[in-house]
Amino acid sequence: KQNLESLGYDVYKRGVSAYSTLGWFSDPLLSSMTFYPDQDLVETIIHELTHGTVFIKGSVEFNERLATFVGHMGMEAFYIQKEGAHSPTVAKAKLENEDSRIFAEFITEEIKAIETYYSSNKGNPNVLKEREREFQKITERFTQRCRPKLKTESFSGFGQLKLNNAVLIGYKTYYQDLSLFEKAYKKLDSQWPQFFAYMATLKKSKDPEKELTQWVNQ
């Protein structure tokens, strides 16, 4: 990490909670995962199982966002079935999923804004220095506009992060435009078998993002 930073690269280092072998092997339940809160463990398992169910080659961000959406909604559905729709666990899951929607909407707009900033400043020799103001604006907008809407602590740490491209790419990979998958889910009458069957058809698509967007907006 320090070597890359010394070369002028944006760097973000974090742990990995789990991984998927995409169905080739039985994926392990890591010992570290046994310390997770139960809801986080359920969400993580469903997230990784999604990769083993539908994985589109060459579309990393699409796959991760799909698994993020399914992990959130699947965890809620799991507890509805296990404890009933009005249990305290389900109430908490609903709040966390609503916060995910709010944050995903926020970060989607912010990523679009920073991408616009870079494209409009091509050739500017001071862009790397001046962009720090843009990162600060993102933090301020989170604190002033997004954070007050959140009902849980799921994304509270975002305001303390030192933002750079690597940090934002991480959020882009998992949270940009999750509403696209929610629209597809609702269009298929909120039925998981139909949802996964449709997602599997996108394996043959040259641009699954574009094809899904066109389909949900028909």
Side-chain angles (χ1 to χ4, degrees):
K1 180 177 184 289
Q2 291 178 337
N3 288 341
L4 291 172
E5 286 179 326
S6 68
L7 294 172
Y9 290 102
D10 282 3
V11 178
Y12 177 48
K13 181 181 179 181
R14 68 175 180 85
V16 176
S17 58
Y19 62 88
S20 171
T21 59
L22 307 181
W24 287 99
F25 305 99
S26 296
D27 292 327
L29 181 63
L30 305 176
S31 59
S32 58
M33 294 168 65
T34 61
F35 297 99
Y36 288 8
D38 287 351
Q39 287 176 259
D40 291 348
L41 179 60
V42 170
E43 182 180 325
T44 298
I45 291 173
I46 294 174
H47 179 113
E48 300 305 333
L49 286 172
T50 301
H51 288 317
T53 304
V54 176
F55 185 82
I56 301 174
K57 187 177 180 180
S59 300
V60 174
E61 288 187 1
F62 187 91
N63 291 320
E64 291 298 349
R65 289 158 51 219
L66 169 63
T68 296
F69 170 75
V70 175
H72 292 166
M73 297 298 293
M75 181 269 289
E76 182 179 326
F78 172 84
Y79 280 107
I80 288 174
Q81 183 176 10
K82 183 174 185 284
E83 300 181 1
H86 303 292
S87 78
T89 309
V90 171
K92 181 181 177 184
K94 288 182 180 295
L95 288 177
E96 290 179 347
N97 284 343
E98 181 58 28
D99 279 1
S100 293
R101 294 185 186 96
I102 292 170
F103 181 79
E105 182 178 344
F106 164 78
I107 203 65
T108 296
E109 292 303 314
E110 295 301 332
I111 288 169
K112 289 178 180 177
I114 199 70
E115 288 175 343
T116 298
Y117 168 78
Y118 283 131
S119 63
S120 62
N121 280 274
K122 288 182 178 179
N124 179 356
N126 298 314
V127 67
L128 293 181
K129 181 179 180 180
E130 294 175 356
R131 69 177 183 164
E132 294 303 320
R133 291 198 301 268
E134 303 303 315
F135 291 146
Q136 183 60 36
K137 289 177 184 177
I138 294 174
T139 300
E140 291 172 357
R141 285 192 287 267
F142 171 79
T143 302
Q144 296 169 6
R145 302 178 188 178
C146 182
R147 185 69 183 90
K149 299 177 183 177
L150 303 178
K151 301 296 191 297
T152 73
E153 297 299 311
S154 297
F155 300 96
S156 59
F158 183 84
Q160 281 71 55
L161 289 174
K162 179 174 174 52
L163 297 183
N164 60 29
N165 289 345
V167 173
L168 293 176
I169 287 172
Y171 281 103
K172 179 181 180 181
T173 298
Y174 290 92
Y175 281 97
Q176 181 165 326
D177 202 12
L178 292 185
S179 63
L180 181 62
F181 298 97
E182 185 170 11
K183 290 175 184 176
Y185 180 65
K186 290 180 177 179
K187 187 168 183 176
L188 292 164
D189 299 321
S190 302
Q191 297 296 313
W192 288 116
Q194 288 89 326
F195 178 83
F196 279 109
Y198 177 79
M199 292 300 159
T201 67
L202 298 176
K203 290 181 180 180
K204 300 177 182 178
S205 177
K206 294 181 179 179
D207 190 339
E209 179 91 14
K210 181 179 180 180
E211 186 170 329
L212 179 59
T213 300
Q214 292 175 338
W215 180 74
V216 298
N217 290 323
Q218 285 178 352

